[in-house]
Amino acid sequence: MDYTPIEEIPRIRDTLRATFATGVTKPLAWRRHQLFQLARMMQENAEALADAINADLGRPRMEAYMAEVCVILERSMICAEKLEEWTKPEVLTDIPDWQKPWHPAVYKMPKGTVLIISPWNYPLILSLQPLYGAISAGCCAVIKTSEYAPNYANLLSQLLPQYLDPSAYHVVKGEVAEVTRLLELQWDHIFYTGNGKIARVISAAAAKHLTPVTLELGGKSPVIIDGTFDMRLAAKRILWAKANNSGQMCVIPDYILVLREKQDELIEAFKEHYATFWPDGPLNSKSYSRIVNELHFKRVSDLLARTKGEIVLGGKSTSSFSFETTIVKNVADGDSLLEQEIFGPLLPIIPVDSVQDAIDFIGARNHPLVLYAFTEDSETKRKVIENTTSGNLAFNDCVQQLTVNELPFGGVGESGYGRQVLKYSYELFTYIRATVDIPKSAEHTLEVRYAPYSKEQLDFFAAPLNMVIPKSTPTGLVMNGIH
Ligand code: NAD
């Protein structure tokens, strides 16, 4: 992959800024056209895009369509359809009569020229989902693709200028030096997806320019199993999720907390589905990806080599970085598999004595991006909802929550901040401008503010001090809306 020459980077940013300043990106017709072009780019190049992702990650075409190409196609179309609704200024009506002549309104304005920094694991959706948000908002954008997905980066840099306005959208290819140069420049928003260590570099650089940042990070997403949900089905759903992209997904189930007496039943169910999904083993299956590169392959191999748990399924790998989905039982606190986000096809099972123990285990660690729980017990559900913190919470399936277009996606604490997908992506690149237009005729309502101040004026502004605040009690069983 050829990298973007470092000295060109400021020029690219300046070109985009100049484009934004002309106002060309703001009309809805223009934004809609770019969104349709993005959808068209997916439609006309679906195979080539899937092939590029396959070359980078060994991902089956079905998964590339399911999780990336077709999602961007569909969501770009939805954005185009919803633009009118999202961008409509809100004229406030529920306001005191004396302020009505001011016509208070909220306008949705594009932030300007934004920087999108994306990772390798889902290189297409993680670069183009923020892009459709930026287009919808009326912004210009630089997309920095990951050096670990070079085939995708090369293809995107060829395709984008054929479909989208090249003076408004530009791909920068490179790694640390290129990102570092990008980060020296001022941007109107930075959207970063990747690991938490680099997120700190991004945040620190953004702080120098007071640039708002979205951080889509990862972490260890746990699964709680209390045994009340069909165990065979739970195993099937978890195994499918875990094997996606060989476990290299931010929302992948990272570890399982299962009631001790249910562990073996769960493992038996995993064995059954393993044999059905991959009759000749995952390494011989066309429905299975590989690990992205040697660095991550060695990292995952090392985690497995050092576990004190018992491998009950999988464990084998090849020199071309394919690694079997591997299930490890009786994993305990302090194990290598609990040291860091696994981001690979290893699935540790930690037996616990109660749901409360599972909740405590999770609570003692960084807030996960997603928390999964398989349960049909309403008391378990209530406990999980009320006593845990996570970006998303999904009951009785894994990863599938991402298909609900209308749900916001993002983390909390170490798993990041900001929310994306459709309207939420649009909102990230939009700022809210509050406006009033106070007519001359409103002067009689404003006289009371002018000096010299009198006792009457003091009494007028002190009126809220006489408000009656209701008596209330701090006790209650459930949170708002949780039943
Ligand atoms: P990566 O190595 O591709 O890095 C991401 C980006 O950061 C790349 O564009 C890269 O060039 C840049 N980068 C790398 N080192 C840098 C440095 N020193 N200074 C500045 N920029 C640098 O991807 P990754 O970080 O390995 O991605 C995997 C992580 O991302 C996992 O933790 C995963 O959970 C998380 N993730 C989160 C989401 C989400 O939506 N929340 C989605 C996918 C991945």
Side-chain angles (χ1 to χ4, degrees):
M1 173 170 81
D2 291 336
Y3 288 177
T4 304
I6 301 260
E7 62 281 9
E8 269 189 32
I9 288 175
R11 191 189 54 73
I12 294 166
R13 197 283 312 259
D14 291 348
T15 303
L16 267 53
R17 279 189 137 186
T19 303
F20 184 75
T22 66
V24 68
T25 62
K26 292 179 184 167
L28 296 197
W30 192 90
R31 301 186 207 184
R32 199 173 291 115
H33 175 67
Q34 301 299 317
L35 288 165
F36 284 149
Q37 285 295 96
L38 186 59
R40 195 164 285 122
M41 186 171 105
M42 296 298 101
Q43 198 170 54
E44 293 177 356
N45 302 281
E47 281 186 22
L49 288 162
D51 287 349
I53 295 169
N54 180 273
D56 288 327
L57 292 148
R59 180 172 306 154
R61 179 170 293 176
M62 181 279 209
E63 285 185 20
Y65 283 4
M66 175 185 70
E68 304 207 78
V69 179
C70 295
V71 182
I72 290 298
L73 200 168
E74 188 189 25
R75 289 184 181 167
S76 302
M77 300 286 283
I78 296 173
C79 286
E81 186 194 314
K82 292 277 184 184
L83 266 188
E84 204 95 31
E85 178 188 322
W86 294 343
T87 55
K88 206 167 174 221
E90 281 169 39
V91 178
L92 307 194
T93 51
D94 190 15
I95 48 173
D97 283 345
W98 63 282
Q99 288 177 335
K100 283 188 176 151
W102 305 3
H103 302 294
V106 175
Y107 286 85
K108 324 285 174 65
M109 306 297 290
K111 282 187 179 170
T113 299
V114 304
L115 173 62
I116 296 164
I117 303 173
S118 54
W120 51 269
N121 64 324
Y122 282 80
L124 188 148
I125 192 161
L126 297 175
S127 54
L128 301 186
Q129 181 137 272
L131 179 64
Y132 75 57
I135 297 173
S136 302
C139 291
C140 294
V142 159
I143 303 148
K144 158 66 183 72
T145 49
S146 174
E147 60 275 28
Y148 287 174
N151 291 285
Y152 169 71
N154 278 335
L155 184 59
L156 183 71
S157 68
Q158 286 161 26
L159 291 178
L160 208 75
Q162 294 172 34
Y163 286 84
L164 267 58
D165 185 334
S167 72
Y169 307 107
H170 199 101
V171 177
V172 167
K173 295 187 287 181
E175 47 182 270
V176 180
E178 289 71 18
V179 186
T180 305
R181 186 69 189 104
L182 283 163
L183 290 174
E184 283 165 5
L185 304 172
Q186 195 269 338
W187 301 90
D188 297 308
H189 191 96
I190 298 176
F191 185 108
Y192 167 80
T193 309
N195 68 73
K197 196 169 147 227
I198 304 304
R200 287 164 163 80
V201 175
I202 309 289
S203 286
K208 289 205 177 120
H209 296 287
L210 294 181
T211 302
V213 182
T214 303
L215 298 178
E216 288 287 359
L217 314 179
K220 294 179 83 64
S221 293
V223 184
I224 299 174
I225 301 181
D226 71 356
T228 58
F229 186 85
D230 181 333
M231 291 293 268
R232 279 188 69 239
L233 189 56
K236 186 179 191 181
R237 291 180 174 187
I238 295 167
L239 189 64
W240 168 79
K242 184 71 194 184
N244 255 275
N245 203 29
S246 275
Q248 302 166 108
M249 195 197 288
C250 56
V251 295
I252 222 88
D254 189 276
Y255 63 93
I256 294 176
L257 296 156
V258 64
L259 290 193
R260 198 173 298 281
E261 63 273 21
K262 298 284 178 184
Q263 181 174 230
D264 288 338
E265 186 184 343
L266 180 68
I267 290 164
E268 284 315 303
F270 275 137
K271 286 183 178 164
E272 185 187 320
H273 296 302
Y274 209 93
T276 316
F277 286 176
W278 312 294
D280 301 318
L283 301 184
N284 297 311
S285 171
K286 287 203 165 37
S287 310
Y288 199 75
S289 310
R290 62 168 164 76
I291 293 186
V292 63
N293 58 24
E294 189 176 4
L295 186 79
H296 281 281
F297 181 79
K298 282 191 171 155
R299 183 184 58 79
V300 170
S301 305
D302 173 63
L303 291 178
L304 187 62
R306 291 189 292 113
T307 183
K308 302 268 188 302
E310 184 186 331
I311 298 175
V312 288
L313 261 175
K316 290 199 287 295
S317 56
T318 69
S319 56
S320 53
F321 314 145
S322 285
F323 208 120
E324 286 183 336
T325 296
T326 301
I327 295 183
V328 185
K329 75 181 265 197
N330 287 333
V331 171
D333 206 356
D335 195 89
S336 60
L337 297 178
L338 300 177
E339 276 172 7
Q340 54 178 263
E341 179 181 8
I342 292 174
F343 221 59
L346 315 178
L347 184 55
I349 304 179
I350 303 151
V352 290
D353 293 319
S354 66
V355 169
Q356 190 55 49
D357 282 357
I359 289 173
D360 292 345
F361 189 95
I362 295 164
R365 285 159 176 77
N366 290 329
H367 300 325
L369 185 56
V370 193
L371 172 56
Y372 298 106
F374 285 78
T375 179
E376 291 203 307
D377 181 77
S378 55
E379 183 53 16
T380 300
K381 282 188 186 170
R382 188 191 65 77
K383 272 192 189 161
V384 170
I385 293 170
E386 292 194 3
N387 301 315
T388 60
T389 303
S390 64
N392 286 211
L393 169 63
F395 288 109
N396 301 327
D397 206 342
C398 298
V399 178
Q400 201 61 29
Q401 71 277 6
L402 297 183
T403 63
V404 184
N405 278 334
E406 291 71 22
L407 276 177
F409 176 73
V412 55
E414 282 282 327
S415 52
Y417 51 78
R419 290 292 177 271
Q420 63 172 327
V421 181
L422 291 179
K423 187 172 184 220
Y424 297 94
S425 296
Y426 155 78
E427 285 176 349
L428 287 175
F429 300 104
T430 301
Y431 77 90
I432 299 295
R433 184 190 250 172
T435 66
V436 288
D437 181 357
I438 304 177
K440 209 165 122 189
S441 59
E443 192 57 14
H444 67 285
T445 63
L446 300 173
E447 286 292 347
V448 66
R449 66 186 171 166
Y450 297 121
Y453 302 147
S454 64
K455 170 81 171 57
E456 287 71 27
Q457 284 170 289
L458 179 69
D459 290 347
F460 179 85
F461 286 109
L465 299 178
N466 298 321
M467 272 180 151
V468 178
I469 301 170
K471 284 198 165 38
S472 54
T473 56
T475 53
L477 284 178
V478 292
M479 284 166 65
N480 188 13
I482 299 172
H483 304 288

